Amino acid sequence: LKGNGSSNSSSSNSSTESVVASPTTISASAPSSTDNSSNGTAAGSSGRDQHQQQLALPVHVESGPAWSSSDPECPAWASCWSAICGVWASKWNHRAWLSRRSAGLPEEQLAVSVLMQQVLPGEYAFVLHTASPFSGARGEMYGEMVCGLGETLVGNHPGRPLAFSDKPDGSEMQLLALPSKRQGLFVPAGGTLIARSDTNGEDLAGYAGAGLYDSIPVNPLEPRFPDYATEPLMWDAAFRQQLLDGLVELGYAVESAFNDTPQDIEGVWLGGRFAVVQSRPQVMAACVGAGPGGSGAAASSAGRQRAKALAAAEAAEAAAAVAAVREAGPGPGAGGGSGEW
């Protein structure tokens, strides 16, 4: 991208592929290098502080692609650029704008970047919360699943997803709803990329900025109508239970990997295997705390039991390895192998 200010070098201006981000592009009050050198170390420190503040602001750039769409090196760039611009523009969709207004968040405080990601094919897509999104109860998992990719789930398409909850109090898993989404979306032949938002709003205290912006595939996803008359999620109770047990096991493992912090997890299932495409700390209005969901809670589902057993086996194996090393001693070295660690 080429900035709307002038560059310090003539060669930067002659190439549309170069990135121009001089301090004067961002703010006219940026101190020059001459000022810094004349004012000594204190002025240099002050200049660095100002630069850090300026670089935290969005850099305004000229519209248009960074190179020609007719470039044979990138024949599909026009589609990529269209998807990127669509995600940027979604900062001002109704939901996103109203959420900022409700939170009293200035427009210039929220910056949107775009991630280009490969779309993983999936027979089913899921979203899993390792703490209840309704009560904040730790250890009470809540999940949703749809046929196809997750765009019909996070995009609020008509119909309901399969929904379930699993509590750590020894009770059985609850099936809350069967799927009724009218349409499923699937990866086209040859695959595709998708442009997705990544904003600093997801890190702002008291502001749940995730899920407000559009995700746009470079090549359109293929719509299909699920055949619920033969769909295993509807009629095969054993298959459905095995799938949900696997989800709970996965959620427990991901949460454990992130120091037992409640997680908002997205992923797909294909051919008997799960793939996690995203996991982030869960934003909750209330949190009951460790309580019943703590590490000593009773396991309620087969998935949770398997995850606990696997974690215990791995811990025992690690402890045995450490004990073996300690028993062998540090060996010869600079200290003469005194046996002290």
Side-chain angles (χ1 to χ4, degrees):
L1 302 178
K2 182 180 177 183
N4 59 2
S6 61
S7 170
N8 293 330
S9 66
S10 59
S11 61
S12 297
N13 284 332
S14 63
S15 172
T16 57
E17 294 185 21
S18 61
V19 176
V20 181
S22 65
T24 54
T25 303
I26 306 170
S27 172
S29 62
S32 65
S33 59
T34 304
D35 294 336
N36 287 342
S37 60
S38 61
N39 292 335
T41 306
S45 176
S46 174
R48 284 194 299 271
D49 292 343
Q50 291 187 33
H51 286 175
Q52 289 176 359
Q53 293 176 1
Q54 292 157 1
L55 291 175
L57 299 174
V59 179
H60 297 286
V61 298
E62 294 178 1
S63 62
W67 60 81
S68 173
S69 59
S70 60
D71 187 344
E73 297 295 327
C74 189
W77 172 245
S79 299
C80 290
W81 182 248
S82 176
I84 292 170
C85 290
V87 175
W88 273 335
S90 69
K91 176 182 176 180
W92 291 278
N93 67 34
H94 288 151
R95 291 181 63 228
W97 182 81
L98 288 173
S99 70
R100 292 194 297 276
R101 183 182 180 185
S102 176
L105 185 65
E107 290 290 317
E108 64 273 12
Q109 190 173 348
L110 188 129
V112 180
S113 61
V114 180
L115 305 176
M116 298 300 294
Q117 300 175 320
Q118 181 182 359
V119 180
L120 288 180
E123 193 172 342
Y124 304 114
F126 63 86
V127 171
L128 184 63
H129 301 277
T130 62
S132 172
F134 309 109
S135 67
R138 296 288 298 272
E140 182 178 332
M141 294 193 186
Y142 173 80
E144 295 181 340
M145 177 175 282
V146 295
C147 297
L149 300 178
E151 302 311 308
T152 60
L153 180 56
V154 300
N156 200 27
H157 288 220
R160 298 198 63 180
L162 179 147
F164 73 95
S165 68
D166 184 79
K167 298 181 179 180
D169 58 3
S171 60
E172 292 185 1
M173 180 185 295
Q174 288 186 306
L175 183 63
L176 304 176
L178 289 171
S180 63
K181 291 284 185 181
R182 303 175 187 175
Q183 192 177 71
L185 296 174
F186 296 84
V187 176
T192 186
L193 298 177
I194 192 168
R196 305 187 69 177
S197 66
D198 186 20
T199 77
N200 60 345
E202 298 178 21
D203 303 321
L204 297 178
Y207 178 74
L212 298 174
Y213 313 100
D214 296 340
S215 297
I216 303 176
V218 174
N219 299 318
L221 302 177
E222 292 185 357
R224 302 177 196 168
F225 295 102
D227 184 6
Y228 289 121
T230 59
E231 174 55 51
L233 284 181
M234 295 286 289
W235 305 105
D236 191 336
F239 169 78
R240 182 175 62 231
Q241 189 63 48
Q242 182 181 12
L243 200 62
L244 299 185
D245 282 342
L247 273 181
V248 172
E249 181 178 357
L250 176 67
Y252 186 90
V254 172
E255 185 182 72
S256 299
F258 288 101
N259 299 319
D260 295 327
T261 300
Q263 295 292 303
D264 178 354
I265 307 167
E266 296 180 18
V268 296
W269 181 93
L270 179 66
R273 300 183 64 183
F274 291 102
V276 173
V277 298
Q278 175 176 290
S279 184
R280 58 189 172 207
Q282 187 175 336
V283 178
M284 296 176 292
C287 186
V288 176
S295 59
S300 61
S301 69
R304 197 183 295 262
Q305 290 173 352
R306 288 197 302 268
K308 284 182 175 291
L310 178 61
E314 290 178 346
E317 183 179 352
V322 170
V325 171
R326 289 187 178 277
E327 183 178 354
S338 62
E340 296 180 359
W341 291 85

